[in-house]
Amino acid sequence: IEGEYVGLTGQANCLECAAGTYTNETGLSACVKCPLGRFQGDLGKSVCKDCIPGTANEVLGQALCKDCVIGKAAAANKMTTCTPCVPGKSAPVSNMVTCQNCTAGSYTADFGTGTCGQCPVGRFSAVGGLSECAACPPGFNQASPGQSVCTECLTSHYQAAEGKQLCDACPGGTYGPTQ
């Protein structure tokens, strides 16, 4: 019978295949371990099931697939491993099918990240999915973290350097052009 085997000669009945194993042939003396990326949680089965997206199995003969941990994802069926998220993407919860782009105003430079960090003051990211934040250009500033744009210096203020938190007031004897 499929899903069963005869372990020894002279037995009165067949034995069910254990979880993590199967047999799709009759008359076998042993069951076969489920291959990588597949599993079988029940006894006496003739097939193994595919690991579903968000899970993986890198060991033969498993009764279940493991959920991808935070910072990793598995996009297809029968995955043997979960893939670490690339810089600019994160997997904030376990069992992720795909890694998500960091949102505008955030970034991550690391592989396998669960969360994206906010852009620091003086820096910004206008779009999602970035591995680093850009410095605000001269004439602009950003006083708050996690921003997607920089703020232009006000009239009578300036900023000659890039990546600054604040603009400076024009010193005595000088002026800033009106906007």
Side-chain angles (χ1 to χ4, degrees):
I1 298 173
E2 290 182 3
E4 296 183 351
Y5 71 102
V6 177
L8 301 170
T9 57
Q11 281 191 226
N13 59 346
C14 295
L15 303 172
E16 289 185 315
C17 291
T21 66
Y22 75 103
T23 179
N24 57 6
E25 297 179 34
T26 58
L28 294 181
S29 61
C31 297
V32 180
K33 291 182 179 181
C34 290
L36 303 180
R38 304 189 81 198
F39 75 103
Q40 181 49 261
D42 299 322
L43 302 175
K45 295 300 179 180
S46 60
V47 295
C48 294
K49 301 173 187 174
D50 295 345
C51 292
I52 61 171
T55 68
N57 180 3
E58 59 185 350
V59 179
L60 293 172
Q62 295 301 299
L64 51 89
C65 297
K66 292 184 179 180
D67 289 346
C68 295
V69 298
I70 291 173
K72 295 184 177 186
N77 287 330
K78 296 196 285 187
M79 296 296 291
T80 58
T81 59
C82 297
T83 305
C85 298
V86 297
K89 294 178 180 269
S90 70
V93 296
S94 61
N95 205 262
M96 293 289 291
V97 174
T98 58
C99 297
Q100 302 171 339
N101 279 342
C102 295
T103 59
S106 67
Y107 75 104
T108 180
D110 300 322
F111 283 88
T113 300
T115 58
C116 298
Q118 291 185 331
C119 292
V121 295
R123 302 184 78 79
F124 74 105
S125 65
V127 296
L130 298 180
S131 61
E132 64 181 338
C133 299
C136 292
F140 291 81
N141 73 308
Q142 185 45 261
S144 301
Q147 299 302 306
S148 60
V149 296
C150 295
T151 305
E152 193 170 4
C153 294
L154 298 173
T155 302
S156 73
H157 287 73
Y158 75 103
Q159 183 48 260
E162 65 177 31
K164 294 299 179 176
Q165 179 177 357
L166 300 171
C167 294
D168 299 315
C170 292
T174 65
Y175 72 97
T178 58
Q179 296 176 356

